Amino acid sequence: MNLFRLVVFCLGFLFIACNEKNKLDRDGEDEKQSGAGIAMDEWVNVRFSNSDQVSSNALIDAQQKVKTNFRAADKAKWKALGPMNIGGRTLCLAFHPTDPDVIFAGSASGGLWKTSSSGKGYHGWIQVPINFPVYSIASILISPKNPNIIFLGTGEVYNKDISIPGIVDRTTRGTYGMGILKSEDGGLSWSQVLQLSKSIISGVQDLKFDPYDDQIIYAATTEGLYKTTSQGRHWILVQDVPMAVDIEINPNNPEIIYVTHGSLNDESISGIYKSNNSGASFVKLSNGLPAEYTGKAKIAISKTNPDILYASIANHDKSIGLFMTVDGGASWDLMNAQDAANVQGWYSHDIAIDPSDPSVVSYVGQNAYFSSNSGRYFTNATSWDAGDMGRIPVGGKEGDESIYVHADIHATYFHPLRPNEIYFATDGGIFVSPDRGLTFQGRNGGYQTTQFYANFSASKQDPKFAIGGMQDNGTAIYDGQDGWIKVIGGDGMSTAILGTNENIIYGTYQYFGLNKSTDHGKSFEIIRPSNNAFLSETKAFNTPFEITISNPSALYAGAQRVYINENNGDPNGWKALHANPLDANAAVLALAVSPADPTLLMASTSPINNTSIPKVFRSTNGGGNWQTITGLPTRAAMDISFDPNNTNIVYTVFSGFGANTHVYKSIDAGLNWNSIENGLPDVPTNSIVVSPKNSKQVYVGNDLGVFVSNNGGASWEKFMAGLPNAVLAMSLSISAEAGLIKVATHGNGVYESPLADLTIATKEITNPDLKKFLVSPNPAVNNIRINTQFSQKANYSVQLIDMNGKMLSKATGLNASLGENNTSLDISALPSGVYTIILEGKIISNQSGFYLNKRVIKN
C-alpha cells in the first residue's frame, strides 16, 4: 500500500462528522450565501434586464466595429502591473498529450493561459492571445492525435434563465460566452466553430472527444448536448435538455455516453443521462440516484474499468453526496454524504478518479478530500484558510503547504502523464499536490487573472502606490513590485487613499466591512460601522464609499440611504444624511461628492427586486434632500465622476446593451444631461475619470477596454495598446503628478499607461541632415542624455516639457558639429512622471529647420 493510500485509510477511520462549518467572513460572521454567487448576481444584473434581447455575438460585433471605426493611432502604452503572485478565479485545465509540462488554463474572465513548466517559476504562465473578446473559458479540449488542434468552450453559466434584475439577490448567471472556438496551430489563431443561438450569457461547460476518433466531439452547453462528426465544421443538438454540465464517454465503447444536466434552483431539468447509441437517444438514470437536485452533478469514469463511475451531486446550498455505480449506471449507491460543496452546490465541486485504481478518488468543493476506498471514508486534506497574508513570493509558497489550497475548487485532475500529481482549478488560481495529497503548492507565478472590483484607488502623487479589492482574494496593495501585498481577507471591495495624508488608506470586504490603516498599509484595523440602521439596510455587495478633498476627515457611504462619518471612519460616527431611502426597493450602487463643494452629491441605485428600476439622484444641500434625475437611461449607472477643475461638469456611465446610451455629461452640476456616446461601442460601461491636469481629457472603461476623449467627450479614441485583446475595465484611477493612469480589470489584474498626450504638438519637422536623435536612458532617474548626429553644422535648442506643456528647462544656443553631439539634462529633482524632450533648430548652410519630440519617463 503506497503512502497516499495508507494515510487516507488510517485517517478515514477518524472521520466522524460529515458536515463542516460554513465558510467564514474574515470578521467571523457566517457567509450565508456564496460570495461568488452574489458577485456574479451583481455582475449580470447591471448588464441585463428582463427585456434585454442581446445576440450571443454582441461583443464580437462591437469589437469588430471598434476595429473598423477607430483607425487613429492608439496612444496608449499599457504595461502589466500584476498582481503576478495572486491567482484569479480558474474554471478548468487541459494537459498536453505528450509533454507533461505543458498545461492550458481557462480563467473565469481573464482568457486562456499556458505554461511550459507545469506552472512553476516566476513566469510560470503566459496569456494566449485570442482574436475574440473571450473572457471566460469553462472547458478546453486538446486533440490526443494532434495537439495543435485545440477547442475552447467559452462562457460561465450556472442557471437556465436570466431572471429579475436585482443588485443583491438574483438568480446567478456568469460571464459572456462566444460558443466554441477552434485553433489548428497550437493557439496562434482561432475561429468560431459554434455560435450558440440564444443569449450572450451562454456557456459551453464541457467538451469531450470520441476516444477513437477526434473528428467526433460532444459539447455540453446551456442549450443542451451538441455533437460534431467533422471536428467542428457542423454541429447537431442531440440532447435537447438545457444546461448540460458534464460529459463522460466509455473509453472502450464510445457509443456509451453520459451527460449531466443541472441549473441553479431548477430541479425540473436536473439529472444524469446515458446513451448507448452515440447520442441518438438518451435515458435518464435513476436507480439509487436523487430524483432531482437544485445544483449540478459532476461525473467521472474509470479508465481501467469503465463500468465504474462516480457522481458528485449537489443541491444549490450543499452536497447531496458522492454516488458510485459499478454496472455502467444501471444502479447507484450513495458512498458518502460529505458536504464538499458547502453553500456552493451549484458552483464549485468535482470528482476525479486515479487512472490506474478506481478506488482512489479526489473529491473537491470548498476544500479537497481524498479516499482510497471508493469514497466510503474521506480525508479532509486541505484547508482554505491556511493561506498567507502579506507579500506572497511570485511563483513561491502561498500558505501552509501541508494543507493549503485556495477555496472553491471548480475542477480536479490526476495528471494523465504523471498521475502522482493532482491538480486543482480554484478561485485563487492553480494548485497542485505533487505527492498524491500529502503536500500542496500554488502554481500561480505570472498568472495575472485576478478579478478586481470597482473603486480601485491609485495614489495621486506616488505612481508606485495603489490598493484594490479582488474577488475571493481579499485586498492587495501595489508598491512597485510584481508581487502585491495581501492585507484584508474575504472578497475585497471598495478602497480609498486619503489625498491629504497617504498614510491613511481604507479597504473593505463584502457589504462594507470597513478597514483602516494609518501607517501606509502596514497594518489595518476593522472599523465596520456600528450604526444599527446602517447595518440593517440593504447594501450592494460592493458598497460604495467616498472621501472628498474639501473635507478629508469625512467619509460618505451608501446603503439604501447615504451616510456620513465626519470622524475619520469611527465605527460609532455614522449618521444618515436623509430620513427615507433613496428608493425603498434599491441599494446605492455608485456615489460621488463634488471635490470642491461637499453640498453637491450624486448617487445611483440598483433594484433589490423587480419592483423598481435603476435610478440616479442628486442633492444640492449636502444630502438632506434628493431629487430623481430624469432623462437618463433606466439602466445601472456604474460610475459618477465630477470634473476636478469645474464642479458644474459631471459625467456618468451606464451598463447594459442597446440604444448606444452609455456615457452622459452634465454642464450644470447634474441638473440636465446629454449623451456623449459619439461612436463608442454599444457595450456595458463601468468607469469614467477626468484628468486633473486637463478637463478636456476624459477616459472611460467598458467591457472591451479603455477609450479616451481629448475634447470633453465630443469624440473618442481607442486607448488600448498593450492591453489584452479585450478586458473588463472595471475601474480607472489617475496619478496626476506622475502623468499615469491605471486600469483595474475584472480578470486580468491591473495595467498602467502614461496619459494620452494632449499638450505637446504632434507635428514633427524632419530634416535629411539630422541623422540621429536619441534620448537615453529611458526610463531615467537622474540625468537624460540627448544624442544627435548631423551631416551639416546646425544650431539647436533642447526643451524639457511636462504633461501640461510647461517648460521646465531649456538649453539654447547649442552648436552642432558634424557627427555625434551630446547634451545632458539634470532631472533628479523632478517627480516621477512622463515628460517630453523637444529638439528644435536649423541647419546653418541652408537654414532648413527641424522640430522633433521624444517622450521620456522619469522613475
Side-chain angles (χ1 to χ4, degrees), residues 430-452:
I430 298 141
F431 288 77
V432 63
S433 173
D435 45 23
R436 299 171 70 80
L438 296 180
T439 61
F440 303 87
Q441 301 169 3
R443 296 280 176 88
N444 294 300
Y447 187 56
Q448 188 171 317
T449 52
T450 41
Q451 296 177 311
F452 278 88

Side-chain angles (χ1 to χ4, degrees), residues 757 759-768 770 773 790 795-801 805 807 810 836-843 847-854:
D757 185 1
T759 57
I760 304 302
T762 58
K763 69 171 185 175
E764 286 203 352
I765 302 173
T766 60
N767 193 301
L770 176 58
F773 172 33
F790 295 87
N795 294 325
Y796 67 98
S797 65
V798 174
Q799 304 173 43
L800 177 67
I801 293 177
M807 185 184 299
K810 184 176 183 179
T836 299
I837 301 291
I838 297 178
L839 178 72
E840 184 177 16
K842 290 183 177 182
I843 303 298
Q847 292 297 294
S848 59
F850 49 88
Y851 181 96
L852 297 168
N853 303 322
K854 293 285 185 182

Side-chain angles (χ1 to χ4, degrees), residues 55-71 127 129-135 176 178 181 190 192 200 657 660 679-684 702-707 718 720 723-728 748:
S55 162
S56 61
N57 267 6
L59 261 86
I60 296 176
D61 295 340
Q63 187 186 58
Q64 187 57 48
K65 289 179 180 177
V66 169
K67 293 178 181 178
T68 302
N69 298 335
F70 289 82
R71 297 185 178 276
Q127 189 170 16
I130 298 175
N131 57 314
F132 290 91
V134 172
Y135 310 92
Y176 302 124
M178 311 289 158
L181 305 182
W190 298 87
Q192 186 184 41
I200 191 172
F657 289 87
N660 288 306
L680 285 171
D682 178 16
V683 297
N702 60 31
D703 278 7
L704 285 177
V706 182
F707 295 80
K718 184 169 62 173
M720 298 190 204
L723 291 176
N725 185 58
V727 295
L728 301 173
N748 288 115

Side-chain angles (χ1 to χ4, degrees), residues 293-306:
Y293 47 87
T294 60
K296 68 179 180 180
K298 299 295 291 291
I299 54 175
I301 192 168
S302 169
K303 305 299 183 186
T304 56
N305 184 352

Side-chain angles (χ1 to χ4, degrees), residues 33 37-38 40-46 48-49 159 161-173 264 608:
Q33 191 175 356
I38 299 168
M40 285 187 289
D41 289 348
E42 184 169 327
W43 188 92
V44 173
N45 166 70
V46 298
F48 301 92
S49 71
N159 81 300
D161 299 310
I162 296 176
S163 69
I164 60 174
I167 195 62
V168 175
D169 185 16
R170 59 163 281 122
T171 307
T172 304
R173 297 290 287 181
L264 174 64
I608 301 167

Side-chain angles (χ1 to χ4, degrees), residues 343-380:
V343 185
Q344 302 188 144
W346 55 273
Y347 177 65
S348 57
H349 57 97
D350 194 23
I351 182 76
I353 305 174
D354 185 322
S356 61
D357 185 348
S359 67
V360 176
V361 295
S362 172
Y363 183 36
V364 300
Q366 189 176 84
N367 289 315
Y369 303 82
F370 298 112
S371 174
S372 63
N373 52 21
S374 302
R376 292 179 181 87
Y377 301 102
F378 277 106
T379 299
N380 182 353

